[in-house]
């Protein structure tokens, strides 16, 4: 119990597992003593269950933050359960805390839950402070001329850019009051840690540690490396999939180990830096900030259209009944479609929990268009394996590729996996890295082994159908089938003549009114 009159604040940590630019921690630290809590909801009542790769990340991220906070004797208590209000209330009582602070989350389930918790605490005269976090522009603040949410990215982003610049990041909190001796903490969360550790410990997880370093320190390292080496060529090189020229910050952003404000202002600083060696061309900074803009936009869409995870946004897609070819789905999942660029991507996903954006687009398009498998099947597979699996970004991107989302790629835009491979991995570095069995093929065949002459295959130690699969579908045939399938959708829409008639009738009725 608190032995002094110094106020004690409970900080509820969620997807903000960091010290730098953490407004809730910053303000709470100014008040006096503080304790922090993370609530792990294994059943995820009301929302999507956390994927396997993300569970591994979460466990390590919490461990890392707990270590950081322990330097000031600030406890990070991890609780598990569905009823966040009761858990928080018990902690407030137990530690005699008179205030609770948190940073806002924007997924519809989280937003509604937090709103009701806030109301219940306020009614009990507990001080509640919540802060903008996770997004540069809160979803309800960006509206079109009619006061409605945007559905098209360019209009949305132009509107955002016309608003005042995102706020400057907060410094690390100054923990002025030494917690030691003020509050007697009793950690009784060993069970939850054990639970988290056991969930996080599986085959996939052991592989992930070769690629990632979860936690705030890992995020800062990635940011520095990117800003120093890659931002200046981002625009030109971001699609060179073998080069690792993007920031790789998406998992850190998802868990809030770095804030979008820190990234935004670091990129702007690099742009205006007077040191010639680090000055960055305007178009690269703009391009990078636009990618952050896409992240904002997906959050905006999910907030305003909460059905997106379950339903295609375009209602004519609801009639699309596709039969799933399990064998082909299996080949896609395991990286054995016979198309090297697709297989390399899917193998990277299994090994590293990640894929560059370009490859995500290629493999997603292949599943939906070449194999005619619903986007939801692909999204589900990604969800469990990506270290950056994020509801808004995941469903919006999948719907975009499927052509059924609000801001969409046209349904007839179908990636040719060979051309994509030759364009974005011309030297074959990427496919050779993830598919060593075809590594000895020359560049001219590495994206299409089935066209290599038999002698060349022999020299490269490849027996098609045995050491590496033949293509499971032929591109031309798949393309025609996909176009036929999707053009039916178009035809099923209301014929334009009917639409015109309706519009005229509506106009007349309006005039009559
Ligand atoms: C089918 C599909 C599924 C995807 N699922 C996810 C997901 O679950 N989680 C996720 O974070 N991203 C997802 N993306 C978006 C994108 O692929 C990743 O954000 C990006 O590859 C992460 O790499 P990076 O951090 O190096 O990106 P950078 O190129 O360095 O971009 C910086 C940041 O901008 C944001 N960003 C970049 N591209 C996009 C985009 N297309 N949409 C939204 N935000 C973007 C990310 O937060 C990223 O970290 C998906 C894309 C596709 C096509």
């Amino acid at each position: 119990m608190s032995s002094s009159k110094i106020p004690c604040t409970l900080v509820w940590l969620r997807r903000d597992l960091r010290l730098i630019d953490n407004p809730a921690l910053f303000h709470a630290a100014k008040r006096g003593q503080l304790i922090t809590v993370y609530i792990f909801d294994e059943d995820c009542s009301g929302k999507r269950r956390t994927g396997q790769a993300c569970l591994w990340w979460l466990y390590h991220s919490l461990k890392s933050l707990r270590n950081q906070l322990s330097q000031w004797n600030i406890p990070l208590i991890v609780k598990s359960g569905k009823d966040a209000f009761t858990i928080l209330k018990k902690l407030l009582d137990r530690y005699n805390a008179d205030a609770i602070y948190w940073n806002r989350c924007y997924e519809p389930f989280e937003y509604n839950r937090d709103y009701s918790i806030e109301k219940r605490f306020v009614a009990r005269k507990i001080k509640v402070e919540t802060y903008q976090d996770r997004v540069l522009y809160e979803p309800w603040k960006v509206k079109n001329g009619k006061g409605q949410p945007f559905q098209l990215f360019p209009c949305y982003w132009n509107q955002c850019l016309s608003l005042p610049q995102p706020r400057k990041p907060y410094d690390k909190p100054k923990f002025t009051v030494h917690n030691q001796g003020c509050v007697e903490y009793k950690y009784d969360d060993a069970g939850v840690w054990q639970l988290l550790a056991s969930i996080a410990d599986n085959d996939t997880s052991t592989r992930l540690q070769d690629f990632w370093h979860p936690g705030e320190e890992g995020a800062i390292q990635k940011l520095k490396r990117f800003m120093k080496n890659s931002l200046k060529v981002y625009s030109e090189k971001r699609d060179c999939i073998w080069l690792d020229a993007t920031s790789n910050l998406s998992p850190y952003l998802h868990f809030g180990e770095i804030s979008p404000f820190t990234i935004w202002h670091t990129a702007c600083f690099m742009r205006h830096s007077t040191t010639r060696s680090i000055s960055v061309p305007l178009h690269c900074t703009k391009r990078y900030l636009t990618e952050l803009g896409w992240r904002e936009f997906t959050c905006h869409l999910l907030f305003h259209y909460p059905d997106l995870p379950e339903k295609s946004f375009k209602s004519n897609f609801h009639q699309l009944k596709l039969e799933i070819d399990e064998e082909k789905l299996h080949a896609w999942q395991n990286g054995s479609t016979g198309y090297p660029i697709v297989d390399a991507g899917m193998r990277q996903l299994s090994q590293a929990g990640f894929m560059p954006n370009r490859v995500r687009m290629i493999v997603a398009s292949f599943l939906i268009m070449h194999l005619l498998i619903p986007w939801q099947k692909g999204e589900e597979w990604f969800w469990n394996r990506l270290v950056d699996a994020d509801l808004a970004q995941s469903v919006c991107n999948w719907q975009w590729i499927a052509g059924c989302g609000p801001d969409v790629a046209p349904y007839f835009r179908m990636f040719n996996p060979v051309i994509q491979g030759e364009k974005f991995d011309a030297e074959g570095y990427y496919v050779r890295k993830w598919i060593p069995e075809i590594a000895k093929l020359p560049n001219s065949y590495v994206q299409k082994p089935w066209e290599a002459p038999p002698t060349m295959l022999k020299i490269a130690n490849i027996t098609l159908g045995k050491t590496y699969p033949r293509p499971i579908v032929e591109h031309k045939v798949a393309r025609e089938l996909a176009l036929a399938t999707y053009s039916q959708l178009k035809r099923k829409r209301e014929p334009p003549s009917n639409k015109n008639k309706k519009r005229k009738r509506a106009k007349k009725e309006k005039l009559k009114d």
Side-chain angles (χ1 to χ4, degrees):
M1 296 292 146
S2 176
S3 56
S4 66
K5 290 257 166 64
I6 305 170
C8 180
T9 312
L10 176 64
V11 176
W12 180 18
L13 294 166
R14 294 100 68 81
R15 276 185 285 141
D16 49 355
L17 303 177
R18 62 176 186 276
L19 299 187
I20 301 170
D21 192 34
N22 186 325
L25 266 182
F26 182 88
H27 290 288
K30 285 201 293 195
R31 279 189 90 225
Q33 300 167 37
L34 62 117
I35 47 175
T36 65
V37 61
Y38 181 89
I39 302 174
F40 174 60
D41 178 3
E42 199 194 355
D43 292 335
C44 292
S45 34
K47 64 168 185 160
R48 185 82 72 91
R49 208 173 243 270
T50 313
Q52 274 301 321
C54 280
L55 279 172
W56 170 82
W57 194 291
L58 173 67
Y59 172 64
H60 290 283
S61 188
L62 285 170
K63 262 194 0 187
S64 158
L65 185 61
R66 189 184 232 193
N67 277 345
Q68 282 176 285
L69 288 167
S70 68
Q71 291 166 20
W72 288 276
N73 285 306
I74 296 166
L76 167 53
I77 298 165
V78 181
K79 291 277 175 194
S80 96
K82 294 181 210 278
D83 183 357
F85 175 79
T86 307
I87 294 171
L88 296 168
K89 175 82 180 59
K90 278 190 184 158
L91 285 171
L92 284 163
D93 292 344
R94 179 169 182 177
Y95 295 109
N96 213 6
D98 60 349
I100 176 162
Y101 287 16
W102 69 74
N103 294 316
R104 293 196 276 276
C105 287
Y106 304 92
E107 279 176 19
F109 160 77
E110 296 168 317
Y111 186 79
N112 294 336
R113 175 201 58 192
D114 295 352
Y115 181 63
S116 103
I117 290 179
E118 181 176 354
K119 275 205 313 203
R120 290 170 78 183
F121 279 130
V122 170
R124 285 167 174 77
K125 305 265 180 294
I126 305 275
K127 181 177 162 74
V128 181
E129 293 286 347
T130 74
Y131 300 91
Q132 176 175 355
D133 193 59
R134 297 200 60 70
V135 286
L136 303 164
Y137 304 96
E138 291 191 299
W140 53 89
K141 288 189 185 152
V142 190
K143 285 182 185 151
N144 67 17
K146 292 181 184 155
Q148 284 160 351
F150 284 96
Q151 293 183 0
L152 294 176
F153 177 72
C155 315
Y156 166 81
W157 194 231
N158 278 340
Q159 174 69 10
C160 290
L161 295 177
S162 73
L163 297 172
Q165 273 256 350
R167 65 156 173 78
K168 286 261 164 66
Y170 290 83
D171 288 335
K172 256 189 190 175
K174 291 195 176 64
F175 299 113
T176 45
V177 176
H178 214 258
N179 271 263
Q180 197 167 27
C182 300
V183 180
E184 187 193 301
Y185 299 108
K186 193 162 168 273
Y187 285 95
D188 55 0
D189 58 0
V192 190
W193 281 103
Q194 260 170 18
L195 172 72
L196 267 173
S198 67
I199 298 173
D201 184 24
N202 58 45
D203 280 358
T204 325
S205 321
T206 27
R207 286 196 293 266
L208 294 177
Q209 63 207 24
D210 293 340
F211 297 94
W212 299 99
H213 177 24
E216 187 168 25
E217 196 194 307
I220 299 297
Q221 277 172 14
K222 285 268 184 229
L223 179 74
K224 282 187 180 161
R225 184 200 62 97
F226 173 71
M227 292 293 166
K228 185 166 169 247
N229 303 329
S230 310
L231 181 61
K232 56 181 177 266
V233 289
Y234 182 77
S235 215
E236 293 79 18
K237 305 278 188 206
R238 62 186 289 272
D239 272 333
C240 297
I241 55 180
W242 46 274
L243 199 58
D244 197 17
T246 61
S247 67
N248 292 300
L249 280 169
S250 51
Y252 299 96
L253 270 164
H254 173 73
F255 287 93
E257 293 159 339
I258 192 160
S259 81
F261 298 92
T262 301
I263 302 178
W264 178 278
H265 285 283
T266 313
C268 293
F269 170 80
M270 299 299 288
R271 161 77 196 123
H272 297 297
S273 169
T274 45
T275 321
R276 221 189 254 164
S277 64
I278 57 167
S279 174
V280 172
L282 177 64
H283 70 281
C284 286
T285 318
K286 262 191 159 175
R287 185 65 213 246
Y288 185 65
L289 297 182
T290 306
E291 293 309 315
L292 283 183
W294 273 104
R295 176 178 176 275
E296 297 284 316
F297 183 52
T298 61
C299 178
H300 174 88
L301 287 176
L302 181 60
F303 183 84
H304 292 290
Y305 305 103
D307 285 344
L308 282 175
E310 277 80 43
K311 278 192 208 157
S312 296
F313 182 82
K314 290 215 156 61
S315 56
N316 56 329
F317 275 73
H318 299 168
Q319 335 144 1
L320 193 65
K321 299 277 176 274
L322 298 170
E323 264 182 40
I324 297 168
D325 183 327
E326 294 291 341
E327 223 172 280
K328 288 189 176 137
L329 174 61
H330 201 66
W332 179 82
Q333 291 170 336
N334 294 311
S336 52
T337 65
Y339 285 94
I341 192 76
V342 176
D343 295 342
M346 297 308 289
R347 294 184 195 190
Q348 183 185 13
L349 176 65
S350 298
Q351 297 274 323
F354 192 79
M355 236 190 258
N357 185 59
R358 169 63 46 183
V359 188
R360 292 187 205 206
M361 294 201 290
I362 298 169
V363 303
S365 164
F366 188 84
L367 181 83
I368 297 164
M369 299 298 185
H370 285 76
L371 306 185
L372 288 177
I373 291 178
W375 65 266
Q376 288 90 340
K377 283 279 163 194
E379 206 257 325
E380 188 185 313
W381 186 260
F382 267 37
W383 185 258
N384 262 315
R385 281 152 193 86
L386 278 175
V387 284
D388 63 12
D390 182 277
L391 194 57
Q393 292 181 73
S394 183
V395 294
C396 290
N397 274 290
W398 275 96
Q399 291 218 25
W400 185 76
I401 299 283
C404 60
D407 184 331
V408 296
Y411 77 92
F412 47 82
R413 181 172 146 186
M414 186 168 167
F415 289 107
N416 178 329
V418 175
I419 294 177
Q420 291 283 313
E422 287 172 346
K423 191 165 172 197
F424 298 107
D425 185 31
E427 311 286 322
Y429 294 125
Y430 180 77
V431 291
R432 286 194 182 92
K433 177 173 175 182
W434 296 104
I435 319 178
E437 59 266 38
I438 57 165
K440 288 191 185 143
L441 277 178
N443 293 349
S444 45
Y445 292 106
V446 80
Q447 302 291 350
K448 43 182 180 194
W450 62 92
E451 284 191 9
T455 44
M456 195 172 281
L457 288 172
K458 206 169 172 197
I459 295 168
N461 278 338
I462 298 170
T463 313
L464 283 180
K466 235 178 173 186
T467 57
Y468 184 69
R470 292 176 191 284
I472 56 169
V473 285
E474 204 193 309
H475 174 69
K476 261 193 183 165
V477 177
R479 183 178 155 77
E480 271 158 32
L481 193 59
L483 288 180
T485 309
Y486 281 96
S487 61
Q488 274 178 20
L489 272 185
K490 235 187 138 197
R491 259 183 256 135
K492 275 182 190 162
R493 275 195 205 152
E494 226 178 337
S497 51
N498 274 359
K499 260 191 184 172
N500 287 341
K501 272 184 209 159
K502 263 193 180 175
R503 237 180 256 145
K504 275 182 194 159
R505 209 182 307 140
K507 221 177 172 183
K508 266 189 195 167
E509 272 162 10
K510 217 178 166 190
L511 284 176
K512 268 191 236 160
D513 287 345

